[in-house]
Amino acid sequence: MPESVKPIAAIQGGASEIIQGLLREFAETVAPRVRVAGAVERERAGADPELSTLGDGRRFPIFQNLGPSSTACSVDSAGIVTACGAVLQDIAAGCDLLVLSKFGKLEAERSGLSAAFAAGVAAQIPILTSVAPKFDAQWRAFAAPLFEMLPPRMTAIEAWWREAATARRRSRSLWAAD
């Protein structure tokens, strides 16, 4: 891709539920025309949210029940790593866009969905994600200079995607011409 077009767009600046809704909505909107891989959070009535793959809708736990008196982190790293494995399979099968729930604590520690981020970059697939603000420094160390930050607005996501998809098509046709 040309340097002016960043292959990764990271949404920041809104509530997690709103951002996850934007990621899901955008993936669903482009899916009829674009091969989308990835995983996003899905809310469940009366229960903790889950991570759901975009290709086949498989669901994976995000949190584990540690009991009412526990003060330990309840993030279910095994569930997220398992979801990452499913996303890696979808990337290997071929996709045009990778949508990943977020870069958070596990990804900052190079776990969670970090292997999917790395596979997307290696395959030169545009990536749409979000970044938890408290992990902004780790995100920048992980993804700079390949990303741009977007506000939580569908128009911003759509504008980034138009540029990223056009740049990817151009770069693929240049490789085919060689």
Side-chain angles (χ1 to χ4, degrees), residues 16-17 19-29 31 36 38-63 99 101-102:
S16 181
E17 301 80 30
I19 292 172
Q20 292 301 310
L22 284 168
L23 293 173
R24 280 191 310 275
E25 181 183 346
F26 182 73
E28 291 166 1
T29 300
V36 181
V40 295
E41 287 182 26
R42 293 206 184 266
E43 297 294 322
R44 298 183 311 151
D48 288 330
E50 295 176 312
L51 208 52
S52 175
T53 58
L54 294 169
D56 59 11
R58 285 180 282 174
R59 294 177 180 250
F60 302 89
I62 296 174
F63 299 103
V99 178
S101 171
K102 73 175 134 189

Side-chain angles (χ1 to χ4, degrees), residues 146-169:
L146 300 174
F147 73 94
E148 67 179 275
M149 298 303 283
L150 300 179
R153 291 194 323 262
M154 189 58 74
T155 54
I157 296 168
E158 292 166 341
W160 166 80
W161 173 244
R162 278 190 301 276
E163 290 181 12
T166 300
R168 186 165 191 247
R169 278 193 299 276

Side-chain angles (χ1 to χ4, degrees), residues 122-145:
Q124 299 181 348
I125 300 165
I127 301 170
L128 177 62
T129 191
S130 67
V131 176
K134 71 190 235 179
F135 299 107
D136 196 54
Q138 293 94 328
W139 167 252
R140 291 180 185 284
F142 180 79

Side-chain angles (χ1 to χ4, degrees), residues 22-134:
L22 284 168
L23 293 173
R24 280 191 310 275
E25 181 183 346
F26 182 73
E28 291 166 1
T29 300
V30 299
R33 304 175 310 280
V34 175
R35 297 174 301 162
V36 181
V40 295
E41 287 182 26
R42 293 206 184 266
E43 297 294 322
R44 298 183 311 151
D48 288 330
E50 295 176 312
L51 208 52
S52 175
T53 58
L54 294 169
D56 59 11
R58 285 180 282 174
R59 294 177 180 250
F60 302 89
I62 296 174
F63 299 103
Q64 53 188 327
N65 184 352
L66 300 177
S69 60
S70 175
T71 58
C73 178
S74 64
V75 171
D76 186 345
S77 59
I80 297 170
V81 169
T82 303
C84 183
V87 171
L88 290 171
Q89 290 174 347
D90 292 343
I91 293 168
C95 65
D96 303 306
L97 172 65
L98 181 58
V99 178
L100 296 171
S101 171
K102 73 175 134 189
F103 183 93
K105 179 182 182 200
L106 293 176
E107 292 73 24
E109 297 170 349
R110 300 300 191 258
S111 184
L113 296 172
S114 62
F117 279 103
V121 170
Q124 299 181 348
I125 300 165
I127 301 170
L128 177 62
T129 191
S130 67
V131 176
K134 71 190 235 179

